[in-house]
Amino acid sequence: MISSSFKEIERTWPKISKAIYIPHTKSEYEKLRKQLDDLIDLVGNNEKHPLASLLETVGVIISNFESTNFLMKSATGIDVLKFLMEEHNLKQADLKEIGSQGVVSEILSGKRELNLRQIKALAKRFSVMPGIFV
């Protein structure tokens, strides 16, 4: 016997599955990335937003796809940060959660390393695992 919660999911899943799915092609991945960007714009840093868990879920799905399909050769945390900044069209001044523009500049030039607080903030902002910055 199917539980009542799964009956509700079964009824709504056809619509939801257009937004939450495992990408199998680059085209599906790109579509999901666009949805993630839209979710980031909508949810921002509001952990209490009704769609915050959807943002996290889609971020994990994208991260898994990227880790198996886009291997970076020995990328450093700084390389990853630069890549994410480029992907999201961000400038140093846009990363206020890790410090002033001067601090961000020192990090990007390799004069300063990311600390734990900064790594956590970046992981949250980009919906990725903190370990990619280490």
Side-chain angles (χ1 to χ4, degrees):
M1 181 168 175
I2 298 176
S3 74
S4 61
S5 63
F6 282 119
K7 287 182 182 182
E8 176 67 22
I9 292 169
E10 182 179 28
R11 193 168 65 252
T12 57
W13 185 251
K15 290 181 182 178
I16 294 171
S17 67
K18 290 177 174 76
I20 306 172
Y21 55 89
I22 306 298
H24 297 286
T25 65
K26 186 159 184 174
S27 173
E28 290 174 341
Y29 161 78
E30 293 296 337
K31 183 178 172 187
L32 200 58
R33 283 290 313 259
K34 170 71 172 102
Q35 290 178 2
L36 179 64
D37 289 343
D38 292 344
L39 276 169
I40 290 169
D41 291 342
L42 182 65
V43 175
N45 291 328
N46 183 359
E47 293 177 6
K48 295 185 182 194
H49 191 284
L51 297 178
S53 66
L54 176 59
L55 172 66
E56 182 178 19
T57 301
V58 173
V60 168
I61 291 169
I62 287 173
S63 178
N64 287 342
F65 183 88
E66 289 173 344
S67 69
T68 57
N69 292 282
F70 304 122
L71 297 176
M72 295 180 86
K73 49 186 174 208
S74 304
T76 66
I78 304 306
D79 294 332
V80 172
L81 178 56
K82 288 176 181 178
F83 172 79
L84 289 170
M85 288 175 67
E86 184 178 325
E87 285 292 302
H88 293 273
N89 296 316
L90 298 174
K91 295 180 175 37
Q92 293 178 10
D94 297 324
L95 297 176
K96 294 181 183 355
E97 64 264 56
I98 63 170
S100 68
Q101 187 171 346
V103 169
V104 176
S105 179
E106 288 178 353
I107 289 169
L108 293 174
S109 68
K111 294 178 183 175
R112 181 186 287 217
E113 291 188 19
L114 288 166
N115 64 38
L116 186 57
R117 181 195 61 77
Q118 293 164 330
I119 289 171
K120 286 180 180 180
L122 289 170
K124 184 175 180 181
R125 177 181 190 139
F126 294 112
S127 300
V128 296
M129 300 298 292
I132 69 166
F133 296 108
V134 178

